[in-house]
Amino acid sequence: MTLFPPSACPRIVVKIGSALLIAADGGVRRDWLAEIVTDIAERTRAGQQVAIVSSGAIALGARRLGLVKGGRASLEDAQAAAAVGQIALSQIWAETLAAEGLIAAQMLVTLGDLEDRRRYLNAAATLDRLLGLGAVPVLNENDSVATEEIRFGDNDRLAARVAQAAGAKGVILLSDIDGLYDRNPALAGAVHIPLVERIDARIEAMADSGSASGMGSGGMISKIAAARIANAAGAQLAIANGRADRPLSADARHTIFLAEKGASARKAWLAGGLTARGTIHIDAGAVRALAGGASLLAAGALRVEGEFARGDLVVLAGPGGAPVARGLSEYDHADAARIVGQRRDALAGILGHSPRAALVHRSHMALL
């Protein structure tokens, strides 16, 4: 069965890991790349719009610069390798796509481009226009300027955020593994999980953080995080083995994470946010109220962590510390800390001005 065929999925995002694109010696696996571009061309001719999130820039640049550890010995090495490798990577994609009559478009993005609402909408508009014109956007994180504090860190989550921005209904993470197992697949008795209807603590416990190749930056933990983002945006996500011949058309084993239904675009963006500025801890009663569609009131809050301003993204954590929602705070951290646990009729006296209706309003909140 072909994953997310054109007849069922008008727009998809395909993420390609470094271990698939780059050989052990640092060169490009051109025969494999030509095969997957043949798959992409067949899908586009059938009416499907395809965006690619491609790793490989750091590995390519490291080879050209003679850097040790694949260019990942330090942040400075990774940034330099990315600057050199991104030119080579974009040229290779442009040439290979052109051989199939396709036009490549390059987009380098940072975490802020998809976390800031205005920049996110600009990126979404660009993606939509490129795909509508028949181009194949090739995206990567702009590693030459990203730092440890402000970066996606792996292209799995980037692919999910790109799918959200592009309005894609399918995400395929091509990797060196054929899906999720109930334990590390290197262990005896590991069982493959073909379908995940809901990501819960049991599913998360199956994740292994290692990357089998040692070349990429994303393991199963990052893939499950990506599935959460994609599913919240109404997109299904598949983890598939890219080492198969013609991996986008092969009938090979994989894991599909089913999409959620009903989330608005804005709430999906909130749920997929990675850079919350703080945490508001809430009591069990507030957790139940949020599940019923209520806003977070000060009376249901227990304490505040972090430094955030009004309008910043914050996490709402339940009594056990687990995140239950994300939303935009109606107060800065100082005022929020002053009013936690207080009833509405006491807020004006504490703050010295008329209080806002909620700490986090339901219109600016997404449950997790």
Side-chain angles (χ1 to χ4, degrees):
M1 178 183 69
T2 300
L3 276 171
F4 309 142
S7 58
C9 194
R11 184 175 286 185
I12 65 167
V13 174
V14 179
K15 177 262 180 178
I16 296 171
S18 295
L20 298 176
L21 188 61
I22 310 299
D25 64 0
V28 176
R29 299 176 65 218
R30 289 184 178 271
D31 290 344
W32 179 88
L33 180 60
E35 286 191 349
I36 197 165
V37 168
T38 298
D39 279 344
I40 292 168
E42 288 184 356
R43 285 173 176 260
T44 58
R45 285 193 287 268
Q48 190 172 64
Q49 297 172 342
V50 182
I52 300 165
V53 172
S54 175
S55 303
I58 292 177
L60 280 175
R63 182 194 191 199
R64 295 190 174 201
L65 293 172
L67 295 172
V68 299
K69 297 184 178 179
R72 298 183 184 273
S74 68
L75 176 61
E76 291 77 12
D77 278 3
Q79 289 174 324
V84 171
Q86 193 59 51
I87 294 175
L89 184 65
S90 60
Q91 181 179 7
I92 289 164
W93 274 110
E95 290 174 352
T96 312
L97 287 165
E100 290 282 354
L102 299 172
I103 299 172
Q106 183 188 50
M107 287 184 67
L108 296 179
V109 296
T110 63
L111 182 62
D113 292 327
L114 298 181
E115 296 287 281
D116 177 89
R117 182 65 176 171
R118 182 175 296 178
R119 289 156 66 186
Y120 170 88
L121 292 173
N122 286 337
T126 301
L127 276 168
D128 185 66
R129 184 61 175 152
L130 285 169
L131 290 165
L133 290 170
V136 179
V138 181
L139 300 98
N140 197 2
E141 184 164 14
N142 193 351
D143 287 308
S144 60
V145 298
T147 67
E148 294 297 337
E149 293 77 22
I150 51 169
R151 65 191 310 262
F152 283 92
D154 62 77
N155 275 351
D156 297 322
R157 289 181 292 181
L158 174 58
R161 273 302 228 179
V162 167
Q164 186 183 73
K169 295 304 180 185
V171 182
I172 302 174
L173 303 181
L174 292 180
S175 185
D176 47 12
I177 190 170
D178 57 4
L180 178 68
Y181 286 76
D182 66 344
R183 70 201 75 175
N184 188 318
L187 299 176
V191 177
H192 181 263
I193 310 296
L195 182 69
V196 176
E197 296 184 7
R198 182 175 180 272
I199 300 172
D200 53 21
R202 181 182 65 89
I203 295 298
E204 290 180 332
M206 297 177 185
D208 182 88
S209 60
S211 174
S213 67
M215 188 180 299
S217 56
M220 190 55 67
I221 288 175
S222 75
K223 290 172 174 55
I224 289 179
R228 278 192 179 277
I229 296 169
N231 291 169
Q236 298 191 83
L237 182 140
I239 301 170
N241 191 341
R243 295 195 180 279
D245 294 336
R246 301 283 301 275
L248 292 182
S249 56
D251 185 10
R253 190 158 66 173
H254 53 265
T255 297
I256 291 181
F257 294 78
L258 294 183
E260 298 175 17
K261 293 180 173 63
S264 69
R266 180 176 175 80
K267 291 203 172 187
W269 174 78
L270 287 169
L274 301 174
T275 54
R277 300 297 298 272
T279 300
I280 301 176
H281 293 267
I282 64 177
D283 61 27
V287 172
R288 290 192 294 271
L290 298 189
S295 300
L296 174 63
L297 304 181
L302 300 172
R303 60 187 175 90
V304 170
E305 289 181 0
E307 296 185 2
F308 51 87
R310 184 189 179 204
D312 281 346
L313 180 67
V314 294
V315 173
L316 308 184
V324 296
R326 290 174 180 265
L328 304 182
S329 177
E330 295 286 341
Y331 291 86
D332 65 31
H333 68 280
D335 281 348
R338 294 169 66 194
I339 63 175
V340 293
Q342 301 294 326
R343 299 187 64 83
R344 182 175 172 82
D345 56 11
L347 301 188
I350 295 171
L351 297 171
H353 58 76
S354 297
R356 298 182 183 90
L359 273 175
V360 179
H361 195 275
R362 64 185 181 183
S363 297
H364 307 300
M365 181 196 306
L367 299 180
L368 300 178

